[in-house]
Amino acid sequence: MSFPGLGSRNRATWVLAWLAVFTLAAAEHHGRVEFGGLPVPGASVTATRGDLKVTAVTDADGRYSFLDLQDGLWTIDVAMQCFAPLHREVQVAPNAPSPTWDLTLLPWKQIAGSVPATTVLTPPTAASNNNNKTEAKTKQAPAFKRTDLAPTSGAAKLEAESTTSEFGKKADDGFLVNGSVNNGAASPFSQSPAFGNFRRGGRSLYNGGLGVILGNSALNARAFSLTGQNTPQPAYNHIQGVASFGGPLRIPHILTGRVPNVTLNYQWMRNRNATTQTALVPTAAERTGNLSQSATVLDPANGAPFAGNVIPQSRISPQAQALLNLYPLPNFAGTRYNYQVPLVGVTNQDALQMRFSQYINSKNQLSGSLAWQRTDNRSPNLFEFVDTSNLSGINTAVNWSHGITRWMLLRLGYEFSRSAARTNPYFANRENVSGDAGITGNNQEPLNWGPPQLSFSSGIAGLSDAIASFNRNQTSAVTAAVTWNHRDHNMTFGSDYRRQQFNYLSQQNPRGAFTFTGAAAGSDFGGFLLGIPDTSSIAFGNADKYFRESVYDAYFNDDWRLSPGFTVNAGLRWDYSAPITELFGRLVNLDIAPGFVAEAPVIAATPTGSVTGRVYPDSLIHPDKHALEPRLGIAWRPFLASSLVVRAGYGVSYDTSVYQTIAVRMAQQSPLSKSLSVPNSAADPLTLANGFNASPSVTPNTFAINPDFRIGYAQTWQASVQRDLPGGLVALVTYLGIKGTRAVQEFLPNTYPAGAVNPCPLCPAGYVFMTSNGNSTRESGSVQLRRRLRHGFTATVQYTYSKSIDDAALGGKNQGTAVIAQDWLNLSAERGLSPFDQRHLLNVQFQYTTGIGVRGGTLLSGWRGQLFKGWTFAGEITKGTGFPLTPIYIAAVRGTGVTGSIRPNYTGASVTAAPSGLFLNPAAYEPPSQGEWGNAGRNSITGPGQFGLNASLDRSFRLRDRLNADLRFDATNLLNHVTYPNWNTIVGNAQFGLPTTANAMRTVRAAMRLRF
């Protein structure tokens, strides 16, 4: 980190000043705990995410807050003596609504009885072969019901509910208050406060808040320049407003008496984000055909080099010249990069949430929610194309709880959601770029106007623009669950059904794509000027698609307390997601003969294929109805007088969400659509003018899936030991293992390396085949040391060592969203580190609040005490090794238009012994040998290490009773330290061994809130 113009002492002072003022850019999460619509103070709220855990306690208004939660999915537990604990997964984000937790009183028998140990089993999430976990936790708390196998798509959730709907004994069974015959707990627990009790005014039943979050480019560091160019930082700002209000919905003469409690939240955001884009663009000389400074250009007509490496002006394709006009000229000199420009994107968002709860009687309670959101985006790109998009959606839910008996509770629910998303490309209805350039064969409807996509292997910036779309999704769901508390068992039975609609109005690749590898002319850009692409692909037609899917689940769970020190949590869940169908049967698969020697398209409306004669369902994929997911967890305290706790768990989870992307690819296939992916060849020569019009001998379909495709699943096992240590320390050691089975694999049948003899000249090729034969493993061990809050200070240090391996199409950096196997006859060669493998990870979290403890200044008074006390400084340091990267050799796979799946040969030189200015050594790789596939391993390069320091500073000011003001500062990348997410690993590319981009530099946000 450098500070121009500052000496070393001034730099240190500057850093310390930032450390003392600004803070962690993590999401701030607030919530409220209620009982019967009234606040519950003193409730314990715990937020857990993986091995991270933070705790808060509700204030007098029942409110709690976590000021430094990272964005993402967290598990929240709410516990309060005499109440059934609650457990829910909550999405933490800057604009996420604040949840309200409605407690339910335990039966009097449980309150008065003994307190056993209770197990919580956290089952693994969907079988996505990532950090899925099963965890058993022991708590000394009253017995309560767990719906560990509650409804989700391919993932079980925990939700603690009441084992009874009764609110306890009447007032005369409680303690009495001085001079009163009313219950001392007269408030949420019994009658309204009366004489002799603290009675609040009518307005005290209502609460609310107003807040604003501000950010400005003047407070933020300039984006890091990969080229060293002094690119100015554009002016931008971030403004977010929040408002909330809640209380009983009383309307004089209309709604009186027992009325519902309603909470309203509104968020308003106007955000500008600045980025710096860096690229290599053609120079003025190169645009005229003068390639004397680049690779030798060969004349495709005779294979001889052009004189002086200059292409005559008469040979330059008019289509190439027209597309070149869209490229900007360089704004500085360079061979790796020569163009850099700042860009500002715009995001506007409005969101409204409403929740209500209605206590009907001792056995019935009604609750519900309604949420609405609208988002608008303006996204510029390197070529100054400004694409716009907008999203709007609603989500509503109604739940009814009915106490069947004192020990049995029935919950029924209905949920409805609908969303609409529209993307408008820059050229849509504006300019027919392809038509004006003389490019034929692609879709030239006004909605899809624009240029084809261009890709270059040498590092020249690819030309691209967004694709127009209008997608509308809708889901209706019903849920039912019964909780039965019987002696030492808390049992839950439940089932859910969801009907989903995915209505798409979009094309997969309407303008087409050209790739230039240099195979045709020795130079990729030379081939472009000559108008000869090395591959082309396109897919359009059948724009409107109406997908339908039904999802079912059923589950049983038992939380069994065998003894005060030993608890077992066991359950079984069944998930079934039916393969997606299209409303009018417009899905296409390939009916493939054994050995891939023949294929023919089969349409959903046609029951029999033309090659094998097999019968297909409407989805063209046979369903998998055997997704049984057992769960088992234990919590054991070997010595009741000791803090030692042992937890262990095992679970199975299925990934039932794989069908949607499959259906999208099947809907854009010939003969219902125009689709192809082909290389340039003598039998089928390609040009920019007619590259999307392949010969009849080319296989028109680009995708096929095994009709016996099976959804993947993950087995997760975990064991942990926790023990208190002297000095307020808690140690936790955890082992986690995951085994993924039936993972997705993709390969190209009947393909062979360049220079080899085609083993089956008459066998069809050119399409991607998807199957489910992959597998993965992940094992990790972590050690956590936590210091409990003492004298205002708490901290957690955690180190994790892990390793993940797979041979599946899980996606990876530099390989697109899915990995296509290099050699379809040797899929085991794809086995390597998983893209998310991070070998070492250290996480440190700390928090200090001033004015706590005698030595911390609690006795400080006067204006010094007012100024010093109550400030909370929190921070998080993350240090980890890099993620795996795959070396890529850009060349078309023979018989297909696919590039990016071939890897180079490893020469034996050290990959990290890089020359000056690079992070990787180009001499470590070379093109594959003729007739052989590359021997470099998938994900064999370790990417750049990761580091981050975020911090926060906040304080709450009590203005008067029930009126508080909060001030908070957040900062990400506090030290303005430069880190990179990725390196370029394309062999032969001008940017090989350089960072593709830099992570965000320091940003600062200030938040001010008023709570009443």
Side-chain angles (χ1 to χ4, degrees):
M1 178 180 65
S2 63
F3 306 94
L6 296 180
S8 59
R9 179 175 300 178
N10 289 335
R11 287 198 296 268
T13 304
W14 192 93
V15 171
L16 291 175
W18 278 103
L19 283 168
V21 177
F22 296 109
T23 74
L24 169 76
E28 185 173 356
H29 175 73
H30 296 275
R32 190 169 190 260
V33 180
E34 299 178 348
F35 172 67
L38 297 177
V40 178
S44 175
V45 184
T46 302
T48 306
R49 184 182 185 188
D51 296 322
L52 302 180
K53 181 186 295 183
V54 291
T55 303
V57 178
T58 56
D59 59 16
D61 295 325
R63 297 183 179 278
Y64 68 89
S65 63
F66 295 107
L67 303 181
D68 55 359
L69 296 188
Q70 297 178 356
D71 290 359
L73 193 65
W74 286 77
T75 299
I76 306 293
D77 291 275
V78 180
M80 181 67 181
Q81 188 174 5
C82 302
F83 292 90
L86 300 179
H87 185 105
R88 190 189 310 166
E89 289 183 344
V90 174
Q91 187 70 32
V92 175
N95 300 316
S98 299
T100 297
W101 303 80
D102 297 316
L103 293 179
T104 304
L105 199 65
L106 288 168
W108 174 250
K109 181 179 179 180
Q110 285 187 242
I111 296 175
S114 60
V115 181
T118 300
T119 301
V120 177
L121 171 64
T122 304
T125 58
S128 54
N129 302 319
N130 53 16
N131 297 332
N132 304 328
K133 298 184 178 180
T134 301
E135 180 180 6
K137 302 178 182 178
T138 297
K139 297 183 180 180
Q140 297 297 324
F144 60 95
K145 165 263 185 188
R146 292 288 187 182
T147 59
D148 293 65
L149 306 177
T152 61
S153 175
K157 293 182 180 178
L158 299 172
E159 182 182 358
E161 300 168 350
S162 157
T163 58
T164 177
S165 61
E166 297 188 0
F167 286 89
K169 307 292 284 183
K170 294 185 178 179
D172 54 5
D173 294 327
F175 295 101
L176 300 182
V177 176
N178 300 339
S180 173
V181 295
N182 196 17
N183 186 2
S187 56
F189 311 105
S190 187
Q191 304 172 12
S192 300
F195 181 77
N197 299 280
F198 178 66
R199 180 196 293 272
R200 291 183 177 180
R203 289 185 299 174
S204 66
L205 299 176
Y206 297 92
N207 58 80
L210 295 172
V212 61
I213 301 173
L214 302 173
N216 188 272
S217 56
L219 299 175
N220 298 339
R222 184 171 56 183
F224 180 74
S225 173
L226 292 177
T227 64
Q229 300 298 309
N230 188 17
T231 302
Q233 176 175 258
Y236 61 92
N237 55 61
H238 172 96
I239 303 176
Q240 181 178 350
V242 294
S244 64
F245 183 78
L249 185 62
R250 286 199 174 101
I251 303 177
H253 310 296
I254 299 178
L255 289 177
T256 59
R258 185 173 291 163
V259 296
N261 281 280
V262 177
T263 300
L264 294 173
N265 296 283
Y266 173 70
Q267 299 89 36
W268 174 87
M269 183 181 71
R270 300 296 181 264
N271 192 24
R272 307 295 184 269
N273 292 313
T275 59
T276 298
Q277 294 290 321
T278 306
L280 178 67
V281 297
T283 64
E286 290 172 336
R287 293 166 184 257
T288 63
N290 185 353
L291 304 182
S292 56
Q293 302 300 316
S294 61
T296 301
V297 184
L298 305 178
D299 188 344
N302 53 27
F306 284 100
N309 218 30
V310 176
I311 300 175
Q313 190 68 32
S314 61
R315 296 287 301 276
I316 295 180
S317 163
Q319 290 78 29
Q321 194 64 59
L323 296 178
L324 270 177
N325 293 331
L326 302 176
Y327 276 81
L329 286 169
N331 53 16
F332 65 93
T335 57
R336 293 171 178 164
Y337 297 109
N338 60 10
Y339 184 75
Q340 188 165 287
V341 61
L343 302 173
V344 178
V346 178
T347 300
N348 298 326
Q349 185 179 89
D350 295 274
L352 177 68
Q353 304 89 33
M354 186 271 288
R355 296 187 302 273
F356 79 91
S357 61
Q358 173 67 64
Y359 172 72
I360 301 174
N361 54 41
S362 62
K363 289 191 174 184
N364 296 279
Q365 185 171 351
L366 193 67
S367 64
S369 63
L370 174 66
W372 168 83
Q373 179 175 308
R374 180 193 63 83
T375 304
D376 296 323
N377 292 288
R378 290 174 54 85
S379 305
N381 68 5
L382 183 75
F383 303 94
E384 299 184 1
F385 306 157
V386 181
D387 304 323
T388 61
S389 64
N390 56 74
L391 168 69
S392 62
I394 61 169
N395 182 285
T396 182
V398 178
N399 297 284
W400 174 53
S401 300
H402 173 66
I404 302 174
T405 68
R406 290 174 58 89
W407 318 112
M408 188 172 292
L409 178 71
L410 169 67
R411 289 195 64 183
L412 299 176
Y414 173 76
E415 182 177 353
F416 174 82
S417 64
R418 182 175 177 84
S419 65
R422 187 188 296 271
T423 299
N424 301 297
Y426 177 75
F427 288 103
N429 301 301
R430 180 196 298 264
E431 181 182 352
N432 186 1
V433 176
S434 292
D436 295 344
I439 299 173
T440 62
N442 56 1
N443 187 298
Q444 296 183 13
E445 296 178 358
L447 189 64
N448 294 310
W449 280 352
Q453 180 179 330
L454 304 180
S455 299
F456 299 91
S457 63
S458 65
I460 295 175
L463 180 67
S464 65
D465 196 15
I467 296 175
S469 65
F470 181 38
N471 302 330
R472 294 137 295 154
N473 300 331
Q474 178 177 304
T475 299
S476 296
V478 292
T479 64
V482 175
T483 301
W484 182 28
N485 178 253
H486 180 64
R487 296 181 181 176
D488 296 329
H489 297 267
N490 288 322
M491 291 176 284
T492 303
F493 308 82
S495 182
D496 308 279
Y497 170 74
R498 294 197 307 276
R499 181 63 177 174
Q500 300 181 142
Q501 298 183 14
F502 307 101
N503 304 307
Y504 295 154
L505 182 61
S506 63
Q507 306 282 8
Q508 183 175 323
N509 185 14
R511 297 191 296 270
F514 293 118
T515 300
F516 299 89
T517 66
S523 161
D524 59 346
F525 188 69
F528 168 70
L529 291 178
L530 294 169
I532 304 176
D534 295 297
T535 71
S536 71
S537 61
I538 196 167
F540 70 90
N542 192 25
D544 56 328
K545 297 168 278 286
Y546 304 93
F547 299 134
R548 301 293 183 264
E549 183 181 29
S550 294
V551 181
Y552 311 80
D553 66 69
Y555 52 91
F556 163 75
N557 191 74
D558 183 15
D559 186 15
W560 183 15
R561 300 169 306 282
L562 279 77
S563 70
F566 190 82
T567 304
V568 174
N569 192 307
L572 181 66
R573 179 184 176 92
W574 172 72
D575 271 307
Y576 173 57
S577 179
I580 291 178
T581 60
E582 207 275 333
L583 190 61
F584 302 103
R586 294 178 297 180
L587 296 176
V588 181
N589 196 9
L590 287 181
D591 187 70
I592 299 174
F596 298 91
V597 297
E599 51 81 12
V602 57
I603 305 173
T606 304
T608 304
S610 60
V611 176
T612 64
R614 67 183 300 171
V615 177
Y616 290 86
D618 290 342
S619 61
L620 300 181
I621 303 174
H622 294 289
D624 186 357
K625 300 180 180 179
H626 304 92
L628 292 176
E629 302 164 320
R631 311 293 169 88
L632 177 65
I634 64 169
W636 178 38
R637 189 183 295 274
F639 312 101
L640 295 182
S642 171
S643 64
L644 179 66
V645 179
V646 178
R647 305 181 183 96
Y650 171 82
V652 177
S653 290
Y654 279 79
D655 182 11
T656 58
S657 60
V658 298
Y659 291 122
Q660 186 177 353
T661 55
I662 294 173
V664 171
R665 297 173 74 174
M666 294 171 69
Q668 212 80 68
Q669 294 284 303
S670 175
L672 302 181
S673 304
K674 179 178 181 178
S675 59
L676 57 87
S677 176
V678 295
N680 182 37
S681 65
D684 189 29
L686 301 179
T687 67
L688 285 176
N690 64 4
F692 301 127
N693 300 307
S695 65
S697 62
V698 172
T699 301
N701 296 78
T702 60
F703 174 75
I705 183 172
N706 186 346
D708 295 320
F709 181 89
R710 293 292 181 264
I711 59 177
Y713 64 91
Q715 302 175 73
T716 304
W717 54 94
Q718 177 174 291
S720 66
V721 178
Q722 179 178 310
R723 176 71 184 269
D724 290 351
L725 300 177
L729 300 177
V730 180
L732 176 65
V733 179
T734 303
Y735 164 76
L736 171 67
I738 303 174
K739 174 64 172 67
T741 307
R742 296 180 185 169
V744 173
Q745 289 183 317
E746 294 187 5
F747 57 86
L748 300 164
N750 299 314
T751 55
Y752 57 99
V757 178
N758 188 351
C760 186
L762 299 180
C763 294
Y767 61 92
V768 176
F769 187 78
M770 177 183 287
T771 187
S772 52
N773 296 325
N775 62 80
S776 65
T777 60
R778 183 180 191 272
E779 295 185 85
S780 68
S782 64
V783 178
Q784 181 189 94
L785 189 64
R786 177 169 58 89
R787 184 188 190 274
R788 290 192 174 97
L789 183 64
R790 184 179 180 185
H791 300 306
F793 179 75
T794 181
T796 300
V797 178
Q798 178 170 305
Y799 167 74
T800 301
Y801 175 84
S802 64
K803 186 173 183 178
S804 302
I805 299 176
D806 70 81
D807 60 0
L810 298 176
K813 291 182 179 179
N814 307 338
Q815 288 186 282
T817 57
V819 176
I820 299 176
Q822 177 179 239
D823 183 0
W824 74 289
L825 297 176
N826 185 16
L827 298 182
S828 61
E830 300 303 307
R831 190 164 185 82
L833 296 177
S834 301
F836 51 81
D837 176 76
Q838 189 173 29
R839 195 61 47 84
H840 304 276
L841 178 63
L842 177 67
N843 183 272
V844 180
Q845 294 179 324
F846 54 90
Q847 177 180 303
Y848 177 69
T849 302
T850 61
I852 296 181
V854 175
R855 296 181 180 179
T858 189
L859 300 180
L860 196 63
S861 59
W863 66 269
R864 293 182 179 85
Q866 293 292 329
L867 182 65
F868 176 74
K869 293 181 182 179
W871 290 98
T872 297
F873 174 74
E876 179 179 24
I877 300 173
T878 301
K879 174 66 175 177
T881 52
F883 296 94
L885 305 174
T886 299
I888 301 297
Y889 178 72
I890 298 297
V893 179
R894 287 297 182 95
T896 77
V898 175
T899 60
S901 66
I902 298 178
R903 299 188 289 272
N905 275 345
Y906 176 56
T907 64
S910 173
V911 177
T912 57
S916 177
L918 298 178
F919 292 93
L920 299 177
N921 183 11
Y925 300 103
E926 63 183 7
S929 302
Q930 286 292 305
E932 297 179 359
W933 298 110
N935 61 19
R938 170 175 165 258
N939 284 336
S940 56
I941 299 175
T942 300
Q946 302 300 302
F947 174 81
L949 171 58
N950 304 325
S952 66
L953 182 69
D954 69 271
R955 182 177 177 181
S956 181
F957 300 88
R958 189 177 182 87
L959 304 181
R960 64 185 186 189
D961 185 34
R962 293 179 58 81
L963 183 61
N964 298 275
D966 299 328
L967 176 64
R968 178 182 175 91
F969 299 94
D970 294 288
T972 59
N973 195 1
L974 181 65
L975 298 179
N976 206 31
H977 181 75
V978 180
T979 58
Y980 310 107
N982 192 14
W983 288 325
N984 186 305
T985 59
I986 301 176
V987 175
N989 191 282
Q991 293 95 36
F992 178 87
L994 292 177
T996 57
T997 185
N999 289 320
M1001 304 306 289
R1002 183 184 57 250
T1003 59
V1004 177
R1005 296 284 186 269
M1008 294 166 283
R1009 302 189 182 187
L1010 187 67
R1011 295 182 287 112
F1012 57 87

